Amino acid sequence: MEEEIVEKYLKAGQVAAEVREGVPDVVEPGARLLDICEWVEDRIRRLGAKPAFPCNVSVNEVAAHYTSPPGDESVVPEGALVKVDIGAHVDGYIADTAITICLDPAKERLARAAQEALDAALRELKPKVSISRISSVIERAIRAHGCKPISNLTGHNMDRFTIHAGISIPNVSTWTLRKFQPGTAYAIEPFTTEPWAAGVVVEGPIATIFRLVRTSVKDKECNRLLRAIYEEFKTLPFAERWLWRLLPRSKYERAWRRLLASGAIMSYPIFVEKTGCPVAQFEHTVLVLEDKCIVTTLLQ
């Protein structure tokens, strides 16, 4: 991997890490989820990177993919388990990291299990180590705390301007011939829940994160919006409220509805634990080189 690319990964990682370290100061009962999202995203920009995806603030049984829609008045409830998932990129080279803020001591073991599973995976991760080995390490660490892993949420590799690039790192024991390849960035992200939970997530009723699928349709008004989206976000996920930075809502709303209906823009439904149990998550990005692995999202 070229040194210039490594430096971009490292810069993105340090921005994401610095933002993550400030998250506990802004997550408290009564805080608006919209304010948390915008604090994270604005800080990423001020530190010299760009958001790689909308900040996810997923509460309790919502495991992933919730970002505030326009005008969101939702707040952090008392006793919540709050996952804040942060993505930053520099020229398309991505860092992905997450933290869980536990506002109920009774749920603290879920967060601790996810954190320690992540730490255990990072200790074992080396160039060319098998994905199966890391998945087994993660599951054993979670179950050692009396918790259950979410079996259908996984870590993933990343490419330039691509969050999920096709390779999964399961949080449960699995068998695969795949190995962690040098020259690749991976997100490792254990998710934990209660031992009596289903341990799987299902799609929720809403979607607040979107991604461009096609860059052209047979509609001039829609194509203008598609061009604006591509120029600003490329193939990275975005939130509808980000469009307000590009255009007045009255200018894009009709085209936006048409693009969603046509499939030119895809949506990411929220993921909810099937039995309604709370979920915790921690995440780091690892850059695998020929001779070593660098956790880019550890604050230096």
Side-chain angles (χ1 to χ4, degrees), residues 184-241:
T184 308
Y186 298 87
I188 311 298
E189 50 180 326
F191 289 83
T192 61
T193 190
E194 300 287 5
W196 54 82
V200 297
V201 294
V202 294
E203 292 184 358
I206 61 171
T208 58
I209 298 175
F210 306 91
R211 181 172 65 83
L212 184 148
V213 176
R214 299 202 301 271
T215 57
S216 163
V217 293
K218 294 180 179 179
D219 183 302
K220 288 183 179 180
E221 184 182 19
C222 289
N223 277 336
R224 283 195 294 271
L225 180 56
L226 283 175
R227 282 195 298 272
I229 290 170
Y230 182 75
E231 288 171 7
E232 186 68 21
F233 312 126
K234 300 293 188 289
T235 50
L236 292 171
F238 62 92
E240 184 190 347
R241 57 188 165 78

Side-chain angles (χ1 to χ4, degrees), residues 23-292:
V23 163
D25 294 333
V26 297
V27 175
E28 60 184 7
R32 287 202 315 165
L33 304 191
L34 178 58
D35 292 339
I36 297 169
C37 291
E38 293 190 338
W39 181 89
V40 165
E41 294 157 5
D42 289 346
R43 185 144 178 78
I44 288 170
R45 296 183 186 101
R46 289 199 304 273
L47 290 171
K50 293 182 178 181
F53 53 82
C55 173
N56 288 206
V57 182
S58 303
V59 178
N60 292 332
E61 72 278 6
V62 178
H65 290 177
Y66 185 88
T67 195
S68 284
D72 188 16
E73 293 296 332
S74 303
V75 301
V76 175
E78 295 282 348
L81 201 63
V82 185
K83 286 78 64 187
V84 180
D85 196 346
I86 299 163
H89 79 90
V90 173
D91 194 26
Y93 298 100
I94 298 164
D96 188 357
T97 188
I99 186 173
T100 292
I101 309 301
C102 185
L103 302 176
D104 178 359
K107 300 183 183 113
E108 185 61 44
R109 61 192 175 80
L110 296 177
R112 186 165 59 250
Q115 176 72 79
E116 294 188 11
L118 177 58
D119 292 343
L122 296 178
R123 287 193 296 270
E124 291 289 324
L125 211 165
K126 298 176 178 62
K128 299 294 184 71
V129 74
S130 71
I131 287 176
S132 292
R133 179 175 175 182
I134 299 304
S135 293
S136 295
V137 165
I138 291 171
E139 180 172 11
R140 283 199 304 271
I142 291 171
R143 293 193 183 276
H145 283 80
C147 300
K148 180 179 283 188
I150 299 291
S151 61
N152 61 339
L153 289 178
T154 70
H156 49 93
N157 71 318
M158 297 178 285
D159 285 340
R160 190 181 183 201
F161 291 111
T162 305
I163 295 288
H164 291 259
I167 296 174
S168 296
I169 300 94
N171 293 312
V172 294
S173 297
T174 188
W175 187 87
T176 175
L177 294 174
R178 289 188 183 275
K179 298 180 178 182
F180 287 88
Q181 295 297 333
T184 308
Y186 298 87
I188 311 298
E189 50 180 326
F191 289 83
T192 61
T193 190
E194 300 287 5
W196 54 82
V200 297
V201 294
V202 294
E203 292 184 358
I206 61 171
T208 58
I209 298 175
F210 306 91
R211 181 172 65 83
L212 184 148
V213 176
R214 299 202 301 271
T215 57
S216 163
V217 293
K218 294 180 179 179
D219 183 302
K220 288 183 179 180
E221 184 182 19
C222 289
N223 277 336
R224 283 195 294 271
L225 180 56
L226 283 175
R227 282 195 298 272
I229 290 170
Y230 182 75
E231 288 171 7
E232 186 68 21
F233 312 126
K234 300 293 188 289
T235 50
L236 292 171
F238 62 92
E240 184 190 347
R241 57 188 165 78
W242 287 6
L243 298 182
W244 293 9
R245 294 174 176 268
L246 306 180
L247 298 163
R249 194 172 190 179
S250 60
K251 296 284 188 181
Y252 77 77
E253 197 161 24
R254 184 171 61 176
W256 174 249
R257 289 196 299 268
R258 289 177 182 171
L259 289 171
L260 286 173
S262 72
I265 290 175
M266 67 164 287
S267 61
Y268 293 86
I270 63 169
F271 286 146
V272 181
E273 203 285 319
K274 186 176 181 179
T275 43
C277 288
V279 176
Q281 171 202 20
F282 279 85
E283 179 180 20
H284 275 306
T285 293
V286 180
L287 186 60
V288 180
L289 303 178
E290 289 292 339
D291 59 342
K292 63 181 177 180

